[in-house]
Amino acid sequence: MINRWVYQQLNEEQKKIQQQLAEDLSISPILAKLLVERNILTYDDARRFFRPDLSDLHDPFLMADMDKAVNRLTVAMRRNEKILVYGDYDVDGTTSVSLVYKFLKQFVSNVEFYIPDRYTEGYGISIRGINYAAENHFTLVVALDCGIKAVEKVKYANSLGVDFIICDHHTPDVVLPPAVAVLDPKREDCRYPYKHLSGCGVGFKLLQALSLVNNVDFSELIPLLDLVALSIASDIVPITGENRVLAYYGLKQLNSAPSVGIKGIIDVCGLSDKEITISDIVFKIGPRINASGRMKLASEAVQLLVSRDNRFAKKKSETINEYNNHRKGLDKNITDEAIAQITADGSLNRKKSIVVYNPGWHKGVIGIVASRLSEEFYRPSIVLTKSNGIVSGSARSVQGFDLYKAIDSCRDLLENFGGHRYAAGLSIREENIPEFTERFEKYVMENILEEQTSPQIDIDAVLQFKDITPKFFRVLKQFGPFGPGNMKPLFVSKKVFDYGTSRLVGKEQEHLKMELIDSSSENVMNGIAFGMHEYNEHLKSLTPLDICYTLEENTFAGSTSIQLMVRDIKVVEN
């Protein structure tokens, strides 16, 4: 599939700000442009951006119901009531539960955690979980990363004498659950200034507020920030504003003093001797934590994350790593089956969406498969399977398209649904699948924009090789941590040539190891282009190429250099 390159342009007013920032900060105009693109418009904005500070975190009591939540939790702790920390089975949920459980366990003994079984209980607050709380005399449940739509279930819990505090970040309905407190920055009546916290981030704000009221020093919360960083990266929330501060300090904690459990995962990922980034969490640490809930029980991930025993952490990390290896094989097989189903249908070229169903697919990996289909065919994609008599689905979107609204338009056909703009989950009766598929496609067809139907690469700036200096790269590194809302800058260099030493590498000779020059200087830039072997003949014939890339640090044999990580190549037409 051919990528469209879209160059980010500044208007005249923004260009003046760019020039002023370049002068005030003594940086190149290109770096100043990157700041303006990120809405960093003043020297003070830049200072806060380059030097994130925990003092920049918002007052947690700005969040609706925070005072109610803190009062109820404080009373429960002082009365030694039994408290159940309850959360979803994904990374955000398990880190949220681990965060709150670890913190409360320092002060009270009557606290336990509960993660629902993906296969027998499904997503969110379950009747079985509520019954477990009531039968075991828990009087307060702190629900994390779920619960915002559990109106009837919270009513049921109340009838059994079980109070709920809900900490969620998913989109609420008009009617909120009748909990003691509902913490969700996306509530319409919530004046909290930052709306994009992860579920674990909302849990962290609860602990921050609880600490303020009970005179617990903020320093007690800092060791828990490694969990918050895992949630922010894995749940793909924007790394802007408050999330940027939390991610920045969470990564510092991960790299300097991770908890025993997280250290176990770091070791099995082979990351022990490198600086861990958001990308490492997304592609290595997060999938392993997720694999526990996908393949077995997510409670195992919490057991690991709260562990203080090195031997236990090592053994549990190895077990979870095995789950992840099994998961990889499953999701590949199911992805292949889904692609075969789509291509056999013959209607793909007429449709703007994908809905596939197989009652035999493994429920634990359908979210991954939905992501693969969305990437492969560049359409909003839903993958459905059947588990314990219930059809469940995972949905993933494409850049710019609001998937949640599309699913919401079919809510009368659904048993349940929830999620975000780009990712959602749902359950549906089997007999409603054909009508849902038809109506979902109709909504997508009528609402998706033409530019959202093909992959787009947003180019931040055009660089000549002479621009890529050690100082330029040093400042660029300070733009991290990178992620949604602050993606790693993508550059284009035009009309570059092989220096004469580029070559094919890899087992199948499928990758290009590039050594390139341009007309701006004598700099020879090293690059790697994974899976782009077809451009080797153009290099060897000295055809000029336009390349799109990020700048990375490459360490080999003790020597560190700047490397181009090539994302796309276009042959320059004569």
Side-chain angles (χ1 to χ4, degrees):
M1 197 171 284
I2 297 172
N3 298 307
R4 287 181 300 114
W5 291 7
V6 178
Y7 292 85
Q8 306 301 301
Q9 304 291 347
L10 301 185
N11 60 35
E12 290 308 311
E13 183 60 32
Q14 288 174 319
K15 286 177 182 175
K16 289 177 187 173
I17 296 169
Q18 173 193 12
Q19 185 177 351
Q20 189 64 51
L21 281 174
E23 290 174 12
D24 291 348
L25 299 169
S26 298
I27 58 175
S28 83
I30 294 165
L31 292 168
K33 178 178 186 284
L34 300 181
L35 291 174
V36 176
E37 288 172 1
R38 286 155 178 74
N39 203 34
I40 295 155
L41 308 178
T42 67
Y43 179 88
D44 285 341
D45 288 346
R47 181 188 56 77
R48 282 191 294 272
F49 180 76
F50 286 125
R51 300 286 182 270
D53 198 292
L54 290 167
S55 65
D56 293 332
L57 296 178
H58 300 302
D59 176 358
F61 286 99
L62 293 173
M63 197 175 292
D65 279 5
M66 184 61 81
D67 53 343
K68 296 176 186 175
V70 170
N71 290 341
R72 181 66 186 90
L73 189 49
T74 299
V75 166
M77 292 169 72
R78 288 177 181 169
R79 289 179 180 169
N80 202 31
E81 293 179 49
K82 289 188 77 174
I83 302 168
L84 188 65
V85 184
Y86 186 112
D88 187 25
Y89 37 65
D90 67 0
V91 179
D92 195 12
T94 52
T95 53
S96 300
V97 169
S98 302
L99 174 94
V100 174
Y101 175 83
K102 282 178 79 172
F103 183 81
L104 295 181
K105 197 71 176 170
Q106 297 175 86
F107 306 102
V108 293
S109 57
N110 252 351
V111 58
E112 293 181 20
F113 63 82
Y114 187 99
I115 307 283
D117 185 313
R118 183 191 293 262
Y119 303 102
T120 59
E121 295 174 77
Y123 168 77
I125 294 165
S126 68
I127 294 297
R128 187 197 292 181
I130 293 168
N131 288 339
Y132 174 86
E135 289 161 9
N136 290 278
H137 312 295
F138 290 95
T139 51
L140 178 62
V141 175
V142 181
L144 296 137
D145 192 36
C146 62
I148 197 64
K149 293 187 174 184
V151 176
E152 295 305 317
K153 287 173 181 172
V154 172
K155 277 184 190 174
Y156 173 65
N158 291 344
S159 75
L160 298 178
V162 178
D163 287 341
F164 263 81
I165 294 170
I166 290 172
C167 304
D168 206 345
H169 69 130
H170 296 100
T171 306
D173 278 339
V174 176
V175 178
L176 296 175
V180 171
V182 178
L183 306 180
D184 188 333
K186 292 191 176 77
R187 279 177 57 169
E188 283 192 9
D189 63 340
C190 184
R191 62 192 181 98
Y192 195 73
Y194 190 72
K195 301 295 183 183
H196 306 296
L197 293 169
S198 64
C200 190
V202 177
F204 183 83
K205 298 309 292 187
L206 173 61
L207 298 186
Q208 187 186 356
L210 187 70
S211 298
L212 284 168
V213 166
N214 291 283
N215 298 313
V216 176
D217 195 273
F218 184 84
S219 62
E220 297 291 325
L221 294 171
I222 292 175
L224 300 170
L225 286 173
D226 53 4
L227 290 164
V228 184
L230 294 186
S231 81
I232 288 170
S234 299
D235 220 51
I236 322 293
V237 292
I239 302 185
T240 57
E242 194 162 39
N243 278 345
R244 179 177 166 78
V245 177
L246 292 168
Y248 178 87
Y249 283 93
L251 284 172
K252 282 183 78 169
Q253 189 68 27
L254 266 177
N255 283 294
S256 61
S259 69
V260 170
I262 294 175
K263 180 67 168 66
I265 306 172
I266 288 170
D267 290 344
V268 297
C269 290
L271 295 172
S272 304
D273 297 321
K274 77 177 289 284
E275 184 178 353
I276 295 166
T277 64
I278 293 291
S279 184
D280 292 321
I281 298 172
V282 171
F283 294 108
K284 295 182 179 179
I285 297 173
R288 284 168 171 82
I289 297 172
N290 249 337
S292 184
R294 293 186 191 283
M295 309 309 299
K296 292 287 183 181
L297 293 172
S299 53
E300 289 189 65
V302 178
Q303 290 166 8
L304 171 61
L305 293 171
V306 302
S307 174
R308 296 180 179 181
D309 184 307
N310 287 301
R311 186 178 297 177
F312 174 84
K314 183 177 187 295
K315 188 173 181 181
K316 185 63 73 176
S317 295
E318 288 168 351
T319 300
I320 285 174
N321 195 46
E322 288 169 15
Y323 294 159
N324 192 51
N325 289 335
H326 184 204
R327 185 272 307 165
K328 286 180 186 174
L330 260 181
D331 83 56
K332 183 186 185 307
N333 291 340
I334 293 172
T335 300
D336 290 345
E337 289 174 19
I339 290 172
Q341 188 181 124
I342 292 162
T343 51
D345 180 85
S347 63
L348 180 67
N349 290 335
R350 300 193 308 273
K351 290 186 173 180
K352 299 293 185 184
S353 70
I354 288 170
V355 180
V356 287
Y357 172 52
N358 183 323
W361 285 338
H362 195 289
K363 185 180 176 184
V365 299
I366 57 173
I368 299 170
V369 175
S371 293
R372 301 255 195 273
L373 298 182
S374 179
E375 290 166 10
E376 175 77 17
F377 299 105
Y378 215 75
R379 289 163 170 79
S381 300
I382 299 178
V383 179
L384 301 165
T385 189
K386 197 171 187 179
S387 177
N388 293 313
I390 299 168
V391 175
S392 301
S394 277
R396 297 295 183 269
S397 194
V398 294
Q399 187 173 352
F401 183 74
D402 194 331
L403 179 75
Y404 184 87
K405 281 187 180 175
I407 295 171
D408 186 47
S409 73
C410 309
R411 66 159 55 214
D412 57 300
L413 297 171
L414 303 174
E415 299 300 295
N416 198 5
F417 76 100
H420 309 286
R421 182 183 181 89
Y422 290 114
L426 57 96
S427 58
I428 185 172
R429 292 183 187 275
E430 196 165 26
E431 61 267 25
N432 287 340
I433 293 173
E435 187 179 349
F436 172 81
T437 303
E438 187 179 314
R439 279 176 49 188
F440 181 74
E441 166 63 20
K442 185 173 185 292
Y443 182 95
V444 176
M445 180 79 75
E446 291 173 354
N447 290 276
I448 199 163
L449 303 175
E450 185 58 38
E451 60 265 27
Q452 293 168 348
T453 61
S454 61
Q456 168 180 314
I457 296 179
D458 293 321
I459 309 298
D460 289 279
V462 175
L463 284 185
Q464 293 183 303
F465 285 170
K466 69 176 182 182
D467 299 320
I468 306 172
T469 64
K471 181 187 176 183
F472 180 91
F473 186 65
R474 202 162 53 244
V475 177
L476 186 67
K477 281 174 67 178
Q478 294 176 50
F479 276 69
F482 297 110
N486 181 40
M487 298 302 288
K488 189 167 282 189
L490 273 166
F491 302 109
V492 160
S493 289
K494 294 179 177 274
K495 293 188 177 180
V496 303
F497 293 89
D498 180 25
Y499 181 61
T501 46
S502 297
R503 62 194 184 279
L504 293 170
V505 295
K507 262 185 198 175
E508 309 292 328
Q509 298 283 283
E510 69 271 42
H511 311 309
L512 260 180
K513 180 78 178 70
M514 309 172 86
E515 293 184 0
L516 303 169
I517 53 171
D518 70 1
S519 60
S520 72
S521 71
E522 295 181 357
N523 286 1
V524 179
M525 295 302 305
N526 292 314
I528 183 76
F530 290 111
M532 299 188 200
H533 58 89
E534 69 270 24
Y535 291 99
N536 188 49
E537 57 188 73
H538 295 292
L539 279 172
K540 293 308 172 193
S541 64
L542 295 182
T543 304
L545 302 175
D546 292 346
I547 59 168
C548 165
Y549 57 89
T550 58
L551 288 172
E552 311 289 342
E553 204 164 47
N554 183 45
T555 301
F556 181 74
S559 176
T560 299
S561 61
I562 300 170
Q563 177 175 261
L564 314 179
M565 184 67 70
V566 178
R567 281 273 307 274
D568 203 12
I569 299 174
K570 291 190 186 298
V571 178
V572 178
E573 301 294 338
N574 292 325

